[in-house]
Every structure is written in structure tokens, then in C-alpha cells.
Amino acid sequence: MMDETSELGTARCPGPSVQDYLDQDSRPVPPALRFERNDHLGSEDVDTARFTSREWAEREMRQVWRRVWQFACLESEIPEVGDHEVYEIGDDSLIVVRTAPEEIRAFVNVCLHRGRKLRTGGGNVGEFRCSFHGFTWNLDGTMRTPPCAWDFPHVSPEKFALPEARVATWRGFVFINMDPYAESFDSYRGTFDDYYIWPLENRYKSLHIGKVLPCNWKVAQDAFIESFHVIATHPQMLPWLADANSQYDVMADQPNWSRMINIQGAPSPHVADSVTEEDVLETFYDSRAFYSAAQGRDLVRQEGDELPAIPPGGTARQVLAERMRAQLAATSRQDFSNTPDTELLDAINYLLFPNFNPWGGAKSNIIYRFRPNGLDPDSCTAEIIFMSSPKEPGEMPPPAKIRWVPEDMLFADIPELGVLGPVFDQDCENLPYVQQGLKAMRKPGITLANYQESRIRHFNRTLDRWMDK
């Protein structure tokens, strides 16, 4: 499945690959996860100005954010006519509103009279009325007769409609694009749908956490699309996370999406020579496996419980997958008996440019979203969303509201995050020092690994294409 330009295998860690592990899976693995492709995209440094420059941030807002498709909200957050959410990026503000049972539209969130924001938050309304002077628009963006119409003979309601952005929906998510001439969202995704195979539309938003971080949004996002940092940042995971064996899928002809697959329940090649299968099992349980815990698939060993036995010739990974199936059979009405080990255990992360980061998995999923914080190149907003499977098929609890946590609060202090919280804190501890270091750096660019950081190069290559248009 390799392209002629691929150099897969020339810069890979010795030891089993992801596909070698999938060869040993106890169940048939979907073709989408058997796909493997890593096109070599060069080894040049990436300039630092994109992370630190106010001028870059302002141009990025014009060239990228006002022209790309981006995740705004969930359909479930606006189920009834008049329900709406306010989506903001940089200095732009949009009202994403359900205007009819089967129609969602997005309008610029600004009164066309004197410029006041029409809405400061979500809710349900029958019209959009400016609180300053009472100018009012219908849900479809058309203007009603202005107050003191006699004083506005130069204003025609027919020509005073709210400016509109394009809207698309995908598996329960609402995406917007402020460019009226942009390609369709179907075209924009490319082959993404062929390889993201999980039914997010059948899951509900059970948790939504947001926090302002002291770094550029790209610095934050880059930290979560590679596993190279595990050896130094998350050393507690090395006995059960095959970090340097991770698979990175990047394609020159698919600029808008990429993927990585991290094998769990197997040791990192950095420590594999000194770790037994029993060590893998014990450390996995003791760490509670951050990905599985965060997805409601937590395998927890109670105090005093013995570790499950590994059969002769078996592996910790096989035992963990079987235990996961047994736990799910006891707690869920869904049938996971034929679900492959990889969908139960592994961390499978996708990026749809610029910042939609859904994780794959058989039961539940995490979504990451990183955005600029206004036009400040030195800060961003980071969001963690849990998309959970309902306890009863077809039963959809209402979506959780976003909770913004203060700067001095750790992710570890949020119980619902499980052990994802402490791991996220480990990641975030690096980020302000990266931002500071990029400003102090005398070398004009950052240097990336050819394979383990290929998703960062792929992302920045796509970013450059938009910035140069």
C-alpha cells in the first residue's frame, strides 16, 4: 500500500511494528486499521515564527481559519428549532443555529447597526435581537423592520440580512466554513471516512473540559500527535506502551488528515529487554491505562486481587483484551465478543486539519480541540471531549456543557478525567517552556524526526499551503 515516494522502513524503530501486533490479534482486524502509509515529506527545519509571531497569527486567521472547515459544535447540542451555540475563533464569532428540524445554519454574530454581539452564549430563542437598540433578525438571518424605521430610509431589510457561513454535518458533529467559495466538506475530508470507522453519531458527549494554556495552539496540538515524547514525559507508560513502535500514517496526496496507532499492552522497545509479560500486565493495571480509563474502559485491579494468569505462550496484551471483553459483557448491553483486541486496547488518534482530533475505539472516544485564544500567539484554548456509548442502545443522555477550568487548577483535579488528567498535566508542563524556548532560540527553525514526528511535518506542510494561497 506504499506510494513510490514513501520511505517507510528507512527510519523505523527495530522491533515489532503495529502491523506485526495486529497480525497476532485474536479477532479479524478491520481493513481500515491494516492500512499503512508514510510518505517522506522532507527533513527541512520548520520556522519558529509560526509559533511566536503576532503577524503570523493575524495572517493565519485570514488565510486559514476564515477558509477551512472546522468543528463548531455537536448536532445534539442544538436539537430544537431556535437552539444555538456561539462558536468563536480569533476575533470571529458565529451563531450556529437550528433554523428548521432538518436545517442548521451559521450567521456572523454581530448586529449590523452598531456592531454589538447579538448573542453572548448558547440557548434557545425565536429571534436574534440586539440588546443595544433592538435591531432584530429572524432565525433564517433575514431582518425584521428596524426600530424607528422612519430614521433608516437608507436601510433595506431585504439587503440587511446577517452574513452567513457554510455549514456541514458529519457523524453528529457540525462544521463551519467562513469562505463562501470553499470546497465541499465531503471533498475536504478526502479519504478520511474510509479510515475513521467508528459511529460517533451513536455516542453522546459525556464530558467537556476546556482550559487556556500558555502556548501557541500549534505547540499544544503538536504535543498530542506524536508519541516520541513518551520516553521522557511519560516514563511510567514504557512497560506497557510500545511508543517507538507506533505507526504514523501521512500521505502527500491527503493533506487534510493523518493518523497514529499506539499499541498498548506491550512494552516500549526502550525497555523491552528488561520487561516480562507479567511486568506489562502489572504496570498496566497499576497505571490504569490512561486511554482505557478515559474511555470508560478502565481495567482496575482492586487491592489484594491477584493478577490474571498469562497462559503458556500467551501475552499480557491478549489477557488484557479478554478481560476487557469480560468486563464489557458484564456492564454493557452491546456485544463486543467479536471486537478485535486493537479496538479495545490501542490509542488510535486522527487529525482532520486544522484541529479536529478524534480518537478511534470500539466503545467510546476522546476528541481533542486546540484553538487560538483570540489573536494572542502565546496562548490557546485546549478542550477534551468524551464521546461515550450509552448504557442502553438508543438512549442518548443530554450533552455535557463545557466546564472551563482556571489556570491554577490541574487536569488531575478533575475526577471525571480519570488518569488521563495526570497524563495531560505531564504534557502541559512542557508547553510554556516550549513557547518560551522558541522565542529564545537562535536557530531559525525546529528540527523534526523523519518518522516519529512525520505528522507534525505533514500538518505544517498543509498549514504552509494555506498560508501561501
Side-chain angles (χ1 to χ4, degrees):
M1 295 184 185
M2 287 172 52
D3 182 91
E4 289 182 356
T5 62
S6 298
E7 293 189 359
L8 185 62
T10 63
R12 291 293 303 273
C13 181
S17 69
V18 165
Q19 295 303 316
D20 291 333
Y21 282 107
L22 299 192
D23 287 341
Q24 305 302 315
D25 204 295
S26 65
R27 309 289 194 274
V29 175
L33 296 179
R34 300 299 305 205
F35 174 82
E36 180 181 19
R37 179 174 157 190
N38 186 275
D39 293 349
H40 181 64
L41 302 177
S43 300
E44 300 80 9
D45 283 2
V46 176
D47 68 283
T48 58
R50 67 191 60 215
F51 306 108
T52 61
S53 164
R54 171 78 181 206
E55 186 277 332
W56 177 286
E58 292 175 354
R59 190 160 62 92
E60 185 181 84
M61 199 58 56
R62 297 190 302 270
Q63 294 291 100
V64 181
W65 292 103
R66 288 183 176 176
R67 300 167 66 194
V68 298
W69 287 98
Q70 54 204 279
F71 159 46
C73 67
L74 277 72
E75 290 187 76
S76 60
E77 293 178 294
I78 48 173
E80 304 296 334
V81 173
D83 286 347
H84 60 281
E85 291 288 330
V86 173
Y87 174 71
E88 296 186 317
I89 185 76
D91 285 339
D92 291 310
S93 182
L94 296 168
I95 303 169
V96 184
V97 58
R98 188 172 293 275
T99 54
E102 301 299 325
E103 181 182 68
I104 297 172
R105 297 171 72 174
F107 301 103
V108 175
N109 182 25
V110 176
C111 174
L112 300 182
H113 170 224
R114 295 264 294 276
R116 189 195 192 280
K117 280 186 176 181
L118 292 170
R119 300 293 298 167
T120 57
N124 181 280
V125 294
E127 61 187 16
F128 301 119
R129 184 178 185 275
C130 179
S131 299
F132 197 1
H133 297 91
F135 279 71
T136 304
W137 285 263
N138 297 307
L139 292 181
D140 64 2
T142 56
M143 186 189 180
R144 296 189 176 179
T145 302
C148 298
W150 57 267
D151 210 10
F152 291 91
H154 49 295
V155 171
S156 167
E158 294 78 23
K159 296 180 180 180
F160 222 55
L162 293 175
E164 191 166 358
R166 297 178 64 183
V167 171
T169 57
W170 178 84
R171 302 191 193 182
F173 289 77
V174 180
F175 288 77
I176 64 93
N177 193 314
M178 289 179 266
D179 181 0
Y181 305 106
E183 67 180 309
S184 71
F185 188 52
D186 287 343
S187 171
Y188 184 87
R189 295 197 308 279
T191 60
F192 178 74
D193 286 19
D194 296 336
Y195 301 100
Y196 191 91
I197 57 176
W198 297 277
L200 290 172
E201 66 274 18
N202 295 335
R203 294 167 186 175
Y204 71 99
K205 188 174 72 165
S206 58
L207 184 69
H208 191 170
I209 300 296
K211 187 176 184 179
V212 176
L213 301 180
C215 66
N216 189 271
W217 73 275
K218 298 181 290 295
V219 167
Q221 180 164 275
D222 285 352
F224 294 90
I225 62 174
E226 50 88 355
S227 294
F228 184 26
H229 67 281
V230 170
I231 185 173
T233 302
H234 311 301
Q236 77 277 10
M237 297 180 183
L238 294 176
W240 53 264
L241 179 68
D243 57 336
N245 301 100
S246 298
Q247 176 177 316
Y248 298 91
D249 295 308
V250 298
M251 295 139 281
D253 60 356
Q254 294 293 317
N256 289 337
W257 74 273
S258 66
R259 177 178 72 179
M260 72 176 174
I261 304 176
N262 303 144
I263 292 295
Q264 296 194 146
S268 163
H270 299 300
V271 300
D273 291 344
S274 60
V275 171
T276 67
E277 291 295 330
E278 286 74 18
D279 293 334
V280 173
L281 199 63
E282 182 169 8
T283 54
F284 185 98
Y285 272 93
D286 287 347
S287 68
R288 299 179 63 194
F290 82 95
Y291 173 69
S292 297
Q295 305 231 8
R297 301 201 305 263
D298 195 6
L299 288 173
V300 182
R301 181 165 59 128
Q302 301 298 326
E303 187 174 350
D305 287 354
E306 293 186 4
L307 283 173
I310 300 174
T315 66
R317 180 174 167 82
Q318 293 166 348
V319 170
L320 289 168
E322 286 304 323
R323 291 290 294 241
M324 188 68 73
R325 289 189 189 91
Q327 177 175 300
L328 290 172
T331 59
S332 173
R333 292 182 178 270
Q334 300 177 65
D335 183 8
F336 293 93
S337 59
N338 294 320
T339 302
D341 305 346
T342 181
E343 291 191 61
L344 294 172
L345 294 176
D346 295 334
I348 309 168
N349 174 265
Y350 294 74
L351 170 63
L352 182 63
F353 186 86
N355 68 334
F356 181 59
N357 287 256
W359 292 54
K363 184 174 184 290
S364 300
N365 303 93
I366 304 171
I367 310 289
Y368 290 157
R369 180 169 65 175
F370 301 94
R371 286 184 283 172
N373 184 26
L375 296 175
D376 178 11
D378 295 326
S379 67
C380 70
T381 61
E383 295 168 74
I384 307 170
I385 298 171
F386 285 5
M387 299 296 296
S388 299
S389 297
K391 293 182 180 179
E392 297 288 339
E395 176 188 278
M396 285 291 186
K401 299 290 187 182
I402 188 169
R403 288 158 46 192
W404 290 98
V405 301
E407 180 183 353
D408 59 352
M409 183 177 183
L410 297 174
F411 288 101
D413 296 329
I414 303 169
E416 298 94 328
L417 286 177
V419 290
L420 177 61
V423 171
F424 220 82
D425 287 329
Q426 286 180 316
D427 288 306
C428 290
E429 185 176 357
N430 292 318
L431 302 183
Y433 300 112
V434 173
Q435 191 68 21
Q436 294 166 21
L438 288 168
K439 293 180 177 182
M441 198 173 192
R442 292 299 178 263
K443 188 163 68 76
I446 60 172
T447 301
L448 299 175
N450 280 344
Y451 186 71
Q452 292 184 90
E453 294 173 318
S454 56
R455 293 182 79 202
I456 297 175
R457 185 173 300 282
H458 182 265
F459 165 79
N460 279 283
R461 178 170 162 159
T462 302
L463 179 67
D464 286 339
R465 287 177 55 185
W466 284 99
M467 294 292 282
D468 294 340
K469 284 184 179 181

